[in-house]
Short mmCIF file of all heavy atoms in Angstrom, two decimals:
data_model
loop_
_atom_site.label_atom_id
_atom_site.label_comp_id
_atom_site.label_asym_id
_atom_site.label_seq_id
_atom_site.Cartn_x
_atom_site.Cartn_y
_atom_site.Cartn_z
N MET A 1 6.67 -14.29 15.03
CA MET A 1 5.47 -14.88 14.48
C MET A 1 5.02 -14.14 13.22
O MET A 1 4.56 -14.75 12.28
CB MET A 1 4.37 -14.88 15.54
CG MET A 1 3.13 -15.62 15.11
SD MET A 1 3.46 -17.34 14.76
CE MET A 1 2.29 -18.11 15.78
N SER A 2 5.16 -12.80 13.21
CA SER A 2 4.73 -12.04 12.04
C SER A 2 5.60 -12.37 10.82
O SER A 2 5.11 -12.38 9.69
CB SER A 2 4.74 -10.55 12.32
OG SER A 2 6.04 -10.12 12.65
N ARG A 3 6.88 -12.65 11.04
CA ARG A 3 7.75 -13.05 9.91
C ARG A 3 7.29 -14.36 9.31
O ARG A 3 7.34 -14.55 8.09
CB ARG A 3 9.20 -13.17 10.36
CG ARG A 3 9.84 -11.85 10.58
CD ARG A 3 11.30 -12.01 10.91
NE ARG A 3 11.88 -10.70 11.12
CZ ARG A 3 13.16 -10.47 11.18
NH1 ARG A 3 14.01 -11.47 11.06
NH2 ARG A 3 13.60 -9.26 11.37
N TYR A 4 6.84 -15.27 10.15
CA TYR A 4 6.32 -16.56 9.66
C TYR A 4 5.14 -16.34 8.72
O TYR A 4 5.10 -16.87 7.62
CB TYR A 4 5.91 -17.43 10.85
CG TYR A 4 5.14 -18.66 10.44
CD1 TYR A 4 5.79 -19.78 9.95
CD2 TYR A 4 3.76 -18.69 10.54
CE1 TYR A 4 5.09 -20.90 9.56
CE2 TYR A 4 3.04 -19.81 10.15
CZ TYR A 4 3.71 -20.92 9.66
OH TYR A 4 3.01 -22.02 9.27
N PHE A 5 4.18 -15.52 9.16
CA PHE A 5 3.01 -15.26 8.33
C PHE A 5 3.35 -14.46 7.08
O PHE A 5 2.79 -14.68 6.02
CB PHE A 5 1.92 -14.55 9.13
CG PHE A 5 1.25 -15.45 10.12
CD1 PHE A 5 1.35 -15.22 11.48
CD2 PHE A 5 0.52 -16.55 9.69
CE1 PHE A 5 0.75 -16.06 12.39
CE2 PHE A 5 -0.09 -17.40 10.58
CZ PHE A 5 0.02 -17.16 11.93
N TRP A 6 4.31 -13.53 7.20
CA TRP A 6 4.73 -12.79 6.02
C TRP A 6 5.32 -13.74 4.99
O TRP A 6 4.99 -13.68 3.80
CB TRP A 6 5.77 -11.72 6.40
CG TRP A 6 6.05 -10.82 5.24
CD1 TRP A 6 5.45 -9.64 4.96
CD2 TRP A 6 6.98 -11.06 4.18
NE1 TRP A 6 5.95 -9.14 3.78
CE2 TRP A 6 6.89 -9.99 3.29
CE3 TRP A 6 7.88 -12.09 3.91
CZ2 TRP A 6 7.66 -9.91 2.14
CZ3 TRP A 6 8.65 -12.00 2.76
CH2 TRP A 6 8.54 -10.92 1.90
N MET A 7 6.16 -14.67 5.45
CA MET A 7 6.80 -15.62 4.53
C MET A 7 5.79 -16.56 3.90
O MET A 7 5.90 -16.88 2.71
CB MET A 7 7.88 -16.41 5.28
CG MET A 7 8.89 -17.04 4.38
SD MET A 7 9.85 -15.78 3.52
CE MET A 7 10.16 -16.63 2.00
N LYS A 8 4.79 -16.98 4.66
CA LYS A 8 3.73 -17.83 4.10
C LYS A 8 3.00 -17.10 2.98
O LYS A 8 2.72 -17.67 1.93
CB LYS A 8 2.74 -18.27 5.18
CG LYS A 8 3.31 -19.17 6.25
CD LYS A 8 3.69 -20.51 5.72
CE LYS A 8 2.49 -21.42 5.75
NZ LYS A 8 2.79 -22.78 5.38
N GLY A 9 2.69 -15.82 3.19
CA GLY A 9 2.02 -15.01 2.17
C GLY A 9 2.91 -14.77 0.97
O GLY A 9 2.45 -14.81 -0.18
N TYR A 10 4.17 -14.51 1.22
CA TYR A 10 5.15 -14.29 0.14
C TYR A 10 5.23 -15.54 -0.73
O TYR A 10 5.15 -15.46 -1.96
CB TYR A 10 6.50 -13.95 0.76
CG TYR A 10 7.64 -13.77 -0.21
CD1 TYR A 10 7.82 -12.56 -0.87
CD2 TYR A 10 8.56 -14.78 -0.43
CE1 TYR A 10 8.89 -12.38 -1.75
CE2 TYR A 10 9.62 -14.61 -1.30
CZ TYR A 10 9.78 -13.41 -1.96
OH TYR A 10 10.83 -13.24 -2.82
N ASP A 11 5.39 -16.69 -0.10
CA ASP A 11 5.47 -17.95 -0.85
C ASP A 11 4.18 -18.22 -1.64
O ASP A 11 4.24 -18.66 -2.79
CB ASP A 11 5.75 -19.13 0.09
CG ASP A 11 7.17 -19.12 0.62
OD1 ASP A 11 8.05 -18.49 -0.01
OD2 ASP A 11 7.40 -19.75 1.68
N ALA A 12 3.04 -17.96 -1.03
CA ALA A 12 1.76 -18.19 -1.71
C ALA A 12 1.61 -17.26 -2.92
O ALA A 12 1.14 -17.68 -3.98
CB ALA A 12 0.60 -17.98 -0.74
N ALA A 13 2.03 -16.01 -2.76
CA ALA A 13 1.96 -15.06 -3.87
C ALA A 13 2.88 -15.48 -5.01
O ALA A 13 2.49 -15.42 -6.19
CB ALA A 13 2.32 -13.65 -3.39
N LEU A 14 4.09 -15.91 -4.70
CA LEU A 14 5.00 -16.37 -5.74
C LEU A 14 4.44 -17.57 -6.48
O LEU A 14 4.53 -17.66 -7.71
CB LEU A 14 6.37 -16.72 -5.15
CG LEU A 14 7.22 -15.57 -4.64
CD1 LEU A 14 8.54 -16.11 -4.11
CD2 LEU A 14 7.46 -14.52 -5.70
N LYS A 15 3.85 -18.49 -5.74
CA LYS A 15 3.30 -19.70 -6.36
C LYS A 15 2.10 -19.36 -7.25
O LYS A 15 1.99 -19.85 -8.37
CB LYS A 15 2.89 -20.68 -5.27
CG LYS A 15 2.42 -22.00 -5.81
CD LYS A 15 2.11 -22.97 -4.69
CE LYS A 15 1.64 -24.29 -5.25
NZ LYS A 15 1.32 -25.25 -4.21
N ALA A 16 1.21 -18.50 -6.77
CA ALA A 16 -0.01 -18.18 -7.51
C ALA A 16 0.25 -17.26 -8.70
O ALA A 16 -0.36 -17.43 -9.76
CB ALA A 16 -1.03 -17.52 -6.57
N LEU A 17 1.15 -16.30 -8.54
CA LEU A 17 1.34 -15.28 -9.57
C LEU A 17 2.55 -15.52 -10.47
O LEU A 17 2.59 -15.02 -11.59
CB LEU A 17 1.47 -13.90 -8.91
CG LEU A 17 0.30 -13.47 -8.05
CD1 LEU A 17 0.63 -12.19 -7.31
CD2 LEU A 17 -0.95 -13.32 -8.89
N ASP A 18 3.54 -16.24 -9.98
CA ASP A 18 4.78 -16.51 -10.69
C ASP A 18 5.37 -15.25 -11.33
O ASP A 18 5.59 -15.18 -12.54
CB ASP A 18 4.57 -17.60 -11.75
CG ASP A 18 5.88 -18.12 -12.31
OD1 ASP A 18 6.89 -18.08 -11.56
OD2 ASP A 18 5.91 -18.53 -13.47
N PRO A 19 5.62 -14.20 -10.51
CA PRO A 19 6.13 -12.94 -11.07
C PRO A 19 7.58 -13.06 -11.50
O PRO A 19 8.34 -13.86 -10.97
CB PRO A 19 6.01 -11.97 -9.90
CG PRO A 19 6.19 -12.84 -8.70
CD PRO A 19 5.52 -14.15 -9.06
N LYS A 20 7.95 -12.26 -12.47
CA LYS A 20 9.35 -12.20 -12.89
C LYS A 20 10.16 -11.34 -11.94
O LYS A 20 11.36 -11.55 -11.78
CB LYS A 20 9.44 -11.63 -14.30
CG LYS A 20 8.89 -12.55 -15.36
CD LYS A 20 9.12 -11.94 -16.71
CE LYS A 20 8.63 -12.64 -17.89
NZ LYS A 20 7.98 -13.77 -18.01
N LEU A 21 9.49 -10.36 -11.32
CA LEU A 21 10.17 -9.43 -10.42
C LEU A 21 9.24 -9.05 -9.28
O LEU A 21 8.05 -8.82 -9.50
CB LEU A 21 10.57 -8.16 -11.19
CG LEU A 21 11.34 -7.10 -10.43
CD1 LEU A 21 12.71 -7.61 -10.02
CD2 LEU A 21 11.48 -5.86 -11.29
N VAL A 22 9.80 -8.98 -8.07
CA VAL A 22 9.06 -8.54 -6.89
C VAL A 22 9.73 -7.27 -6.38
O VAL A 22 10.93 -7.27 -6.11
CB VAL A 22 9.07 -9.62 -5.79
CG1 VAL A 22 8.35 -9.12 -4.54
CG2 VAL A 22 8.46 -10.91 -6.29
N ILE A 23 8.97 -6.18 -6.30
CA ILE A 23 9.50 -4.93 -5.79
C ILE A 23 9.21 -4.87 -4.30
O ILE A 23 8.06 -5.00 -3.89
CB ILE A 23 8.87 -3.73 -6.51
CG1 ILE A 23 9.21 -3.80 -8.00
CG2 ILE A 23 9.35 -2.43 -5.89
CD1 ILE A 23 8.50 -2.78 -8.84
N ARG A 24 10.27 -4.70 -3.51
CA ARG A 24 10.13 -4.73 -2.05
C ARG A 24 10.62 -3.44 -1.45
O ARG A 24 11.63 -2.90 -1.88
CB ARG A 24 10.95 -5.88 -1.48
CG ARG A 24 10.45 -7.25 -1.83
CD ARG A 24 9.53 -7.77 -0.77
NE ARG A 24 10.28 -8.09 0.42
CZ ARG A 24 10.22 -7.40 1.56
NH1 ARG A 24 9.46 -6.37 1.69
NH2 ARG A 24 10.94 -7.76 2.59
N TYR A 25 9.93 -2.97 -0.44
CA TYR A 25 10.34 -1.80 0.33
C TYR A 25 10.69 -2.28 1.72
O TYR A 25 9.89 -2.94 2.37
CB TYR A 25 9.23 -0.76 0.39
CG TYR A 25 8.98 -0.14 -0.96
CD1 TYR A 25 8.06 -0.69 -1.84
CD2 TYR A 25 9.70 0.99 -1.35
CE1 TYR A 25 7.85 -0.13 -3.08
CE2 TYR A 25 9.49 1.55 -2.59
CZ TYR A 25 8.57 0.99 -3.45
OH TYR A 25 8.37 1.54 -4.68
N GLY A 26 11.89 -2.01 2.15
CA GLY A 26 12.31 -2.42 3.48
C GLY A 26 13.36 -3.50 3.44
O GLY A 26 13.96 -3.78 2.41
N ASP A 27 13.58 -4.10 4.58
CA ASP A 27 14.64 -5.08 4.74
C ASP A 27 14.31 -6.40 4.06
O ASP A 27 13.15 -6.80 3.96
CB ASP A 27 14.89 -5.35 6.22
CG ASP A 27 15.33 -4.10 6.97
OD1 ASP A 27 15.92 -3.22 6.34
OD2 ASP A 27 15.06 -4.03 8.18
N ARG A 28 15.35 -7.08 3.63
CA ARG A 28 15.22 -8.42 3.07
C ARG A 28 14.86 -9.38 4.20
O ARG A 28 15.42 -9.33 5.28
CB ARG A 28 16.53 -8.84 2.43
CG ARG A 28 16.45 -10.14 1.70
CD ARG A 28 17.75 -10.48 1.02
NE ARG A 28 18.25 -9.32 0.31
CZ ARG A 28 19.48 -9.20 -0.14
NH1 ARG A 28 20.34 -10.17 0.05
NH2 ARG A 28 19.87 -8.11 -0.76
N MET A 29 13.92 -10.24 3.93
CA MET A 29 13.50 -11.23 4.92
C MET A 29 14.25 -12.54 4.65
O MET A 29 14.59 -12.83 3.50
CB MET A 29 12.00 -11.48 4.84
CG MET A 29 11.17 -10.24 5.10
SD MET A 29 11.25 -9.71 6.79
CE MET A 29 9.95 -10.68 7.47
N PRO A 30 14.51 -13.32 5.69
CA PRO A 30 15.17 -14.62 5.49
C PRO A 30 14.36 -15.49 4.53
O PRO A 30 13.14 -15.47 4.53
CB PRO A 30 15.19 -15.24 6.89
CG PRO A 30 14.99 -14.11 7.82
CD PRO A 30 14.19 -13.08 7.09
N ASN A 31 15.05 -16.20 3.68
CA ASN A 31 14.49 -17.17 2.74
C ASN A 31 13.70 -16.55 1.59
O ASN A 31 12.97 -17.25 0.91
CB ASN A 31 13.61 -18.20 3.46
CG ASN A 31 14.38 -18.95 4.51
OD1 ASN A 31 15.54 -19.31 4.30
ND2 ASN A 31 13.78 -19.17 5.65
N GLU A 32 13.84 -15.25 1.36
CA GLU A 32 13.20 -14.64 0.19
C GLU A 32 13.95 -15.07 -1.07
O GLU A 32 15.14 -15.35 -1.02
CB GLU A 32 13.24 -13.12 0.27
CG GLU A 32 12.17 -12.54 1.11
CD GLU A 32 12.10 -11.03 0.95
OE1 GLU A 32 11.68 -10.57 -0.12
OE2 GLU A 32 12.48 -10.34 1.90
N ASP A 33 13.25 -15.09 -2.17
CA ASP A 33 13.86 -15.41 -3.46
C ASP A 33 14.53 -14.15 -3.98
O ASP A 33 13.92 -13.34 -4.67
CB ASP A 33 12.79 -15.90 -4.44
CG ASP A 33 13.38 -16.34 -5.76
OD1 ASP A 33 14.59 -16.15 -5.98
OD2 ASP A 33 12.62 -16.87 -6.58
N VAL A 34 15.81 -13.98 -3.63
CA VAL A 34 16.52 -12.75 -3.99
C VAL A 34 16.83 -12.68 -5.48
O VAL A 34 17.16 -11.61 -5.98
CB VAL A 34 17.81 -12.58 -3.16
CG1 VAL A 34 17.48 -12.41 -1.69
CG2 VAL A 34 18.76 -13.73 -3.36
N SER A 35 16.70 -13.78 -6.20
CA SER A 35 16.97 -13.75 -7.63
C SER A 35 15.92 -12.96 -8.40
O SER A 35 16.18 -12.49 -9.50
CB SER A 35 17.07 -15.17 -8.19
OG SER A 35 15.80 -15.81 -8.16
N ARG A 36 14.74 -12.79 -7.84
CA ARG A 36 13.70 -12.01 -8.52
C ARG A 36 13.10 -10.91 -7.65
O ARG A 36 12.00 -10.44 -7.89
CB ARG A 36 12.62 -12.91 -9.09
CG ARG A 36 11.90 -13.78 -8.11
CD ARG A 36 10.85 -14.57 -8.87
NE ARG A 36 10.42 -15.72 -8.13
CZ ARG A 36 9.48 -16.53 -8.54
NH1 ARG A 36 8.88 -16.32 -9.68
NH2 ARG A 36 9.14 -17.57 -7.83
N SER A 37 13.85 -10.50 -6.64
CA SER A 37 13.39 -9.42 -5.77
C SER A 37 14.34 -8.23 -5.90
O SER A 37 15.54 -8.40 -6.00
CB SER A 37 13.36 -9.86 -4.31
OG SER A 37 12.38 -10.84 -4.11
N ILE A 38 13.76 -7.05 -5.90
CA ILE A 38 14.54 -5.81 -5.89
C ILE A 38 14.09 -5.03 -4.66
O ILE A 38 12.91 -4.99 -4.34
CB ILE A 38 14.36 -5.02 -7.19
CG1 ILE A 38 15.28 -3.82 -7.21
CG2 ILE A 38 12.93 -4.61 -7.43
CD1 ILE A 38 15.39 -3.15 -8.56
N TYR A 39 15.05 -4.46 -3.95
CA TYR A 39 14.77 -3.84 -2.65
C TYR A 39 15.00 -2.34 -2.70
O TYR A 39 15.98 -1.87 -3.27
CB TYR A 39 15.66 -4.45 -1.57
CG TYR A 39 15.41 -5.92 -1.40
CD1 TYR A 39 16.11 -6.84 -2.16
CD2 TYR A 39 14.46 -6.38 -0.52
CE1 TYR A 39 15.87 -8.20 -2.04
CE2 TYR A 39 14.21 -7.73 -0.39
CZ TYR A 39 14.92 -8.64 -1.16
OH TYR A 39 14.67 -9.96 -1.03
N PHE A 40 14.10 -1.59 -2.10
CA PHE A 40 14.23 -0.15 -1.94
C PHE A 40 14.17 0.17 -0.46
O PHE A 40 13.50 -0.51 0.30
CB PHE A 40 13.09 0.58 -2.67
CG PHE A 40 13.17 0.46 -4.16
CD1 PHE A 40 12.48 -0.53 -4.82
CD2 PHE A 40 13.95 1.35 -4.88
CE1 PHE A 40 12.57 -0.64 -6.20
CE2 PHE A 40 14.03 1.25 -6.26
CZ PHE A 40 13.34 0.25 -6.92
N GLU A 41 14.87 1.23 -0.09
CA GLU A 41 14.86 1.65 1.30
C GLU A 41 13.47 2.14 1.71
O GLU A 41 12.78 2.78 0.93
CB GLU A 41 15.84 2.81 1.50
CG GLU A 41 16.93 2.49 2.47
CD GLU A 41 17.84 3.67 2.66
OE1 GLU A 41 18.70 3.87 1.80
OE2 GLU A 41 17.67 4.36 3.68
N ASN A 42 13.08 1.83 2.91
CA ASN A 42 11.81 2.28 3.46
C ASN A 42 12.11 3.45 4.40
O ASN A 42 12.56 3.26 5.52
CB ASN A 42 11.12 1.14 4.21
CG ASN A 42 9.77 1.52 4.72
OD1 ASN A 42 9.51 2.66 5.05
ND2 ASN A 42 8.89 0.53 4.83
N GLU A 43 11.89 4.66 3.92
CA GLU A 43 12.22 5.86 4.70
C GLU A 43 11.44 5.94 6.01
O GLU A 43 11.96 6.38 7.02
CB GLU A 43 11.99 7.12 3.86
CG GLU A 43 12.94 7.26 2.71
CD GLU A 43 14.40 7.37 3.15
OE1 GLU A 43 14.67 7.97 4.20
OE2 GLU A 43 15.26 6.84 2.43
N ASN A 44 10.19 5.53 6.01
CA ASN A 44 9.39 5.55 7.24
C ASN A 44 9.99 4.63 8.28
O ASN A 44 10.08 4.98 9.46
CB ASN A 44 7.94 5.17 6.96
CG ASN A 44 7.22 6.21 6.15
OD1 ASN A 44 7.48 7.40 6.30
ND2 ASN A 44 6.33 5.77 5.28
N LEU A 45 10.40 3.45 7.87
CA LEU A 45 11.01 2.50 8.80
C LEU A 45 12.33 3.05 9.33
O LEU A 45 12.63 2.94 10.52
CB LEU A 45 11.22 1.16 8.11
CG LEU A 45 11.76 0.02 8.95
CD1 LEU A 45 10.87 -0.23 10.16
CD2 LEU A 45 11.88 -1.24 8.11
N ASN A 46 13.10 3.68 8.46
CA ASN A 46 14.37 4.28 8.90
C ASN A 46 14.14 5.37 9.94
O ASN A 46 14.88 5.47 10.92
CB ASN A 46 15.14 4.84 7.70
CG ASN A 46 15.71 3.75 6.84
OD1 ASN A 46 15.87 2.63 7.28
ND2 ASN A 46 16.02 4.10 5.61
N ARG A 47 13.12 6.19 9.73
CA ARG A 47 12.82 7.25 10.71
C ARG A 47 12.41 6.65 12.06
O ARG A 47 12.81 7.14 13.11
CB ARG A 47 11.70 8.15 10.19
CG ARG A 47 12.20 9.20 9.20
CD ARG A 47 11.17 10.29 8.99
NE ARG A 47 9.97 9.83 8.34
CZ ARG A 47 9.79 9.73 7.02
NH1 ARG A 47 10.77 10.05 6.21
NH2 ARG A 47 8.66 9.31 6.52
N LEU A 48 11.63 5.59 12.03
CA LEU A 48 11.24 4.94 13.28
C LEU A 48 12.44 4.35 14.00
O LEU A 48 12.56 4.46 15.23
CB LEU A 48 10.22 3.83 13.01
CG LEU A 48 8.81 4.27 12.64
CD1 LEU A 48 7.99 3.06 12.19
CD2 LEU A 48 8.15 4.95 13.82
N ARG A 49 13.33 3.74 13.27
CA ARG A 49 14.52 3.13 13.87
C ARG A 49 15.47 4.17 14.45
O ARG A 49 16.11 3.93 15.47
CB ARG A 49 15.27 2.30 12.84
CG ARG A 49 14.58 1.02 12.49
CD ARG A 49 15.36 0.26 11.46
NE ARG A 49 14.73 -1.02 11.16
CZ ARG A 49 14.97 -1.71 10.09
NH1 ARG A 49 15.81 -1.28 9.18
NH2 ARG A 49 14.34 -2.87 9.89
N ASN A 50 15.55 5.32 13.78
CA ASN A 50 16.49 6.36 14.21
C ASN A 50 15.87 7.41 15.11
O ASN A 50 16.53 8.36 15.51
CB ASN A 50 17.10 7.05 12.97
CG ASN A 50 17.90 6.07 12.14
OD1 ASN A 50 18.59 5.21 12.68
ND2 ASN A 50 17.80 6.17 10.83
N GLY A 51 14.59 7.27 15.43
CA GLY A 51 13.93 8.20 16.34
C GLY A 51 13.73 9.59 15.78
O GLY A 51 13.74 10.56 16.52
N ARG A 52 13.53 9.70 14.49
CA ARG A 52 13.34 11.02 13.86
C ARG A 52 11.94 11.17 13.36
O ARG A 52 11.28 10.40 12.88
CB ARG A 52 14.29 11.22 12.69
CG ARG A 52 15.71 11.23 13.12
CD ARG A 52 16.59 11.44 11.92
NE ARG A 52 17.94 11.07 12.25
CZ ARG A 52 18.89 10.96 11.36
NH1 ARG A 52 18.65 11.20 10.11
NH2 ARG A 52 20.10 10.64 11.70
#
């Protein structure tokens, strides 16, 4: 359910702002516009996943 709301917000932001580039931290979400998104690793999320 949270992915649904995240995607709704992502789409609304793209429509309202029409950015040339979106800087993202963390995993790529399904149906994101990868042509204008750049992804960086989220170290906090990695630590949570790896139990460190």
Side-chain angles (χ1 to χ4, degrees):
M1 187 61 126
S2 61
R3 286 184 181 193
Y4 169 80
F5 287 116
W6 189 93
M7 200 65 213
K8 295 292 273 186
Y10 177 82
D11 288 339
L14 290 181
K15 185 176 180 181
L17 302 172
D18 192 29
K20 291 184 182 0
L21 182 66
V22 177
I23 298 172
R24 292 267 290 109
Y25 292 90
D27 299 333
R28 186 177 314 164
M29 299 290 273
N31 302 320
E32 278 190 70
D33 184 353
V34 295
S35 68
R36 59 179 161 177
S37 294
I38 186 168
Y39 299 88
F40 292 94
E41 241 182 280
N42 183 330
E43 292 298 325
N44 292 325
L45 184 57
N46 288 340
R47 279 195 294 274
L48 287 171
R49 287 179 177 161
N50 297 321
R52 296 181 197 170

